[in-house]
Amino acid sequence: MNTDSSSLRMRARIHAALGEPARLAIVDTLTLGDASPGEIAHTLQLPTNLVAHHVKVLQDAGILTRSRSEGDRRRTYLSLRPQALVSLAPQRLDAVKRVVFVCTHNSARSQIAAALLRQRTGQPVASAGTHPAPRVHPRAVTVARRHGLSLDPGATAHVSDVVADDDLVIAVCDNAHEDLTDQARLHWSVPDPAPADTDEAFEAAFTAIASRVDRLIPALTTEPTHD
């Protein structure tokens, strides 16, 4: 993951510039089209001198650019720099060949996470357990089916039989995270739904995992394939 100091400073500057309601409103106004400072002042009902101040802050942060009108050369237009906003997204991980989700029993959380990521990206993914159960929990199978996913009830496995050195390992429970130590590169602290053993508990676990999968996907890269 890219966490170099120059990138962090740039992102912090952008966040600081956006941390004022009027400036955020200006960015929102420019999301779908360009506008002159006067047009922005009219749209947002702000004094022109205040707009000028906010525009300068946004421009200094690298969020906006100015261009001279090809018609009335006295007029300037403001445009968003999309790459500046893209930089606020989670930093991309180094090239990932495969993601392996791990929990204690490989009977619910890791199975659901793997099925979700496979469904949404189609990339190589697997799951395993530090102490795998004989079968996937029936309620996990049920909640997965409710969301259009299919789990093989008998497909549990031990981490030693699944994880390779170049896998991105994500521990989806605290016990697995603490057991794996050096091996787990990411940790999702998702409560185990099995002790409650209710549909509500498994649905809550599914929701927690789905939100994390959605945040993970933009950060993933895959190694290029060669013909």
Side-chain angles (χ1 to χ4, degrees):
M1 182 177 289
N2 180 12
T3 56
D4 64 274
S5 59
S6 61
S7 173
L8 290 173
R9 285 195 297 271
M10 178 192 70
R11 293 169 64 205
R13 186 169 63 248
I14 294 172
H15 277 289
L18 295 175
E20 204 284 338
R23 289 197 285 272
L24 191 56
I26 291 171
V27 170
D28 287 345
T29 301
L30 296 172
T31 298
L32 298 180
D34 304 337
S36 69
E39 289 168 339
I40 288 175
H42 176 74
T43 298
L44 299 179
Q45 298 184 340
L46 292 172
T48 55
N49 63 332
L50 186 57
V51 169
H53 164 72
H54 289 315
V55 165
K56 184 178 187 306
V57 172
L58 293 169
Q59 190 172 6
D60 289 347
I63 299 172
L64 303 183
T65 60
R66 289 177 181 265
S67 61
R68 186 72 63 179
S69 168
E70 292 182 350
D72 183 348
R73 300 291 296 176
R74 297 168 298 179
R75 177 176 295 202
T76 60
Y77 289 107
L78 305 172
S79 304
L80 281 183
R81 294 182 65 250
Q83 61 269 38
L85 300 183
V86 168
S87 72
L88 298 180
Q91 295 297 289
R92 298 178 76 85
L93 297 163
D94 296 334
V96 174
K97 289 184 177 180
R98 185 178 68 159
V99 177
V100 179
F101 293 99
V102 178
C103 64
T104 303
H105 300 303
N106 191 212
S107 63
R109 290 163 291 181
S110 56
Q111 294 278 353
I112 291 169
L116 270 170
L117 186 62
R118 185 181 299 111
Q119 179 197 60
R120 295 183 181 181
T121 67
Q123 73 175 67
V125 61
S127 69
T130 54
H131 300 84
R135 296 179 63 81
V136 176
H137 196 292
R139 290 192 190 276
V141 175
T142 299
V143 75
R145 185 183 303 119
R146 188 181 303 134
H147 291 277
L149 303 173
S150 178
L151 301 184
D152 181 349
T156 61
H158 192 275
V159 288
S160 61
D161 297 323
V162 175
V163 175
D165 290 340
D166 54 0
D167 287 331
L168 169 62
V169 178
I170 303 178
V172 293
C173 80
D174 299 340
N175 286 327
H177 173 64
E178 292 157 16
D179 286 344
L180 292 170
T181 59
D182 294 339
Q183 209 168 22
R185 289 179 55 191
L186 294 177
H187 172 215
W188 296 352
S189 185
V190 180
D192 186 0
D197 197 17
T198 64
D199 288 343
E200 291 76 15
F202 278 82
E203 188 67 38
F206 181 94
T207 299
I209 292 167
S211 68
R212 287 168 169 81
V213 167
D214 287 341
R215 296 200 299 272
L216 172 69
I217 289 172
L220 289 176
T221 61
T222 55
E223 291 196 339
T225 57
H226 301 282
D227 295 331

